[in-house]
Amino acid sequence: MNYITTPIYYASGDPHLGHAYSTLLADARRRYGKICGAPSRLLTGTDEHGQKIAGVAERESIPVQDFVNRRSDVFLKLWDDLEIDCEFVRTTNQNHVAFVQICWQRLIEKGDLYAGEYTGEYCVECEQFLNGIEVCPIHNIPLDTVSEKGYFFRLSKYQDALLEHLTQHPEFITPKSRYEEALAFVTGQPLQDLCVSRGSTSWGIKVPDDPDQVVYVWLDALLSYVSVLNPTWQEGTWDVQSTSVFAEAEHFIGKDILTFHAVYWPAILLALDLPLPTALRVNGWLTVEGQKIAKSNPATIVNPLRLAEQYSLDGLRYYLLSCTVGGQDINFSEQQLASAVNNVLANSVGNLIGRCAGLLSRNWPDGVHKPVEEPEFALAVLAKRDQAFAGIDDLFNSGDVSRACRVCFEFAGTLNTFFQNNAPWHKQGKEQAASLWWFHGFLQDLTILLSVFTPQLSQRGRRVLNLEEPALIENRFDPGEERRRLADKTGPLVTKV
Ligand code: MSP
């Protein structure tokens, strides 16, 4: 089972392109699991508690539960519009609330929580205690100084175990630079116990047996990755078996929330005797003129739906998935998006599939049969095809979705070059039929890979190539097979913008 998660997004405003980017990366990973034939789940959702959200709802004079209901619906609708097949968790959901309270009680019983007082800085935008600095490095805003009662989680107790886990599993966090960052955090300082409740806001999950405190929004949110795995949490139950798939979890996160996922979250899981996730896949930020796209900076906001409508969903997916290198930030460019649609999706890939299918349907309406000979070009393409499939598999296993996407489109480029050089339109009779038989087979493979990155193009391609079996790697082109290869009537596969 592949269990893929995105961060659960704050329900404090509308989703923007940065959220869509994160979710599309994770969705590509889920789709890859699907073509491998493995059951795959994708979890996303909304993070609905905390001081920030309570504050926004109050400023807009909307009861906070109504406010988060509306916001959450907008996220849910966006994922539907972007054709992302996901499960959706909400932290105000009663089942999740019950699970958080059960975990709290377990941590108390274990002696891992104690009452204390927090005095220091707090960034409301990050919902993070940030001691010793005055301005938030992410939001560039002055921090609040707070002094309040709270419960502390004994993070210090888990420092050695965290270090051991990180040292033994260098593959736990990708890219490597983020692994090193997390390792430096755990080795570089004695870990301070973490404040995990708040007394100065009431919008949160009540701490059991202490009505003045609510669970810190990050502890609440992280637990959603597990709470959703069992829909029937009840006080007094600890049905760990039902959550066993969590051990397969791959968390897709932005670099801004690395410490929460690489340090605090594993420590909490260790304290709860739950397994640790398999991997953290850390992406950089999408920026506009060098500034992080963020609700707190309205000039950077880009609406993903507008882009999907204007440039096609595949165009948006391809642009976002292919353009990052090594988890670094990327500066969003609408011009590059448009040129990706025209040059790569329409001129190169769409045109290639369209031309091959067009020749087949016009000249060979009854299809073409396996030729007797295996021409040299076919052997060369087969080798490239095998390389592409193996490379993409390695890249998904090491969490590099962007490079996997580029390898897929490089393979498309290679096919295009071979098609150009082979020029089946200049060939006659059997010779043409033979070429087309091979290219049809290679395009079958291409459409399997495209279903991960540009699913609509893949679907249209498979329709015109008359490919009925599901797009699975196990259904890839087998040059030993005798099957008759057919195409349907075609039209343009990608509309230019
Ligand atoms: N609610 C927490 C996460 C809790 S997970 C248990 C949170 N939410 S958030 O709404 O601020 O979104 C966080 C994530 O959204 C980032 O980590 C990142 O994955 C994604 N992004 C938000 N803005 C982004 C960009 N500008 N660029 C890339 N990703 C962006 O933190």
Side-chain angles (χ1 to χ4, degrees), residues 7-10 16 18 22 47 218 225 254 256-257 284-286 293:
I8 57 165
Y9 304 106
Y10 286 125
H16 56 61
S22 242
D47 191 351
W218 268 98
Y225 295 142
D256 46 334
I257 57 176
W285 287 335
L286 215 51
I293 298 182

Side-chain angles (χ1 to χ4, degrees), residues 148-192:
E148 61 188 49
K149 287 207 163 83
Y151 288 82
F152 286 76
F153 169 65
R154 288 188 203 282
L155 182 63
S156 48
K157 177 175 157 187
Y158 293 94
Q159 182 151 10
D160 290 345
L162 286 173
L163 190 55
E164 191 184 323
H165 182 72
L166 285 176
T167 346
Q168 284 180 359
H169 299 279
E171 74 295 345
F172 179 54
I173 304 172
T174 59
K176 196 151 188 278
S177 54
R178 298 294 166 205
Y179 168 76
E180 280 158 5
E181 190 181 324
L183 190 63
F185 190 92
V186 177
T187 45
Q189 61 199 322
L191 293 180
Q192 303 291 316

Side-chain angles (χ1 to χ4, degrees), residues 359-414:
L359 279 172
L360 270 165
S361 68
R362 274 194 308 278
N363 300 348
W364 306 94
D366 299 325
V368 289
H369 293 273
K370 182 176 160 61
V372 186
E373 283 171 16
E374 264 185 18
E376 222 169 276
F377 88 85
L379 296 178
V381 183
L382 272 176
K384 297 272 183 205
R385 185 272 314 249
D386 290 344
Q387 258 173 29
F389 273 87
I392 287 172
D393 194 56
D394 284 349
L395 288 164
F396 271 109
N397 288 331
S398 61
D400 199 338
V401 177
S402 292
R403 253 176 85 195
C405 178
R406 289 196 293 276
V407 170
C408 167
F409 282 84
E410 273 157 30
F411 174 57
T414 303

Side-chain angles (χ1 to χ4, degrees), residues 244-287:
S244 61
V245 59
F246 180 75
E248 315 290 317
E250 251 180 271
H251 295 313
F252 279 76
I253 58 168
K255 64 177 185 180
D256 46 334
I257 57 176
L258 176 66
T259 312
F260 288 101
H261 286 79
V263 183
Y264 306 154
W265 179 222
I268 291 160
L269 288 164
L270 288 170
L272 289 168
D273 299 310
L274 287 170
L276 301 192
T278 304
L280 304 181
R281 311 299 191 193
V282 190
N283 62 264
W285 287 335
L286 215 51
T287 60

Side-chain angles (χ1 to χ4, degrees), residues 6-12 16-23 25 45-48 52-53 75 91 125-127 139 217-225 252-258 260-261 265 281 283-288 291-295 300 329-330:
T6 75
I8 57 165
Y9 304 106
Y10 286 125
S12 50
H16 56 61
L17 193 61
H19 302 124
Y21 170 57
S22 242
T23 306
L25 282 169
T46 38
D47 191 351
E48 305 184 5
K52 167 161 74 173
I53 288 173
F75 275 91
T91 54
E125 284 298 321
C126 296
E127 292 281 13
H139 297 97
V217 62
W218 268 98
L219 175 60
D220 169 356
L222 288 162
L223 288 169
S224 69
Y225 295 142
F252 279 76
I253 58 168
K255 64 177 185 180
D256 46 334
I257 57 176
L258 176 66
F260 288 101
H261 286 79
W265 179 222
R281 311 299 191 193
N283 62 264
W285 287 335
L286 215 51
T287 60
V288 164
Q291 296 184 53
K292 181 189 181 211
I293 298 182
K295 283 183 284 267
T300 61
D329 294 354
I330 41 162

Side-chain angles (χ1 to χ4, degrees), residues 377-378 381-382 411 415 438-446 477:
F377 88 85
V381 183
L382 272 176
F411 174 57
L415 274 185
W438 286 100
F439 279 107
H440 185 283
F442 296 132
L443 290 176
Q444 169 176 338
D445 290 343
L446 179 63
F477 172 45

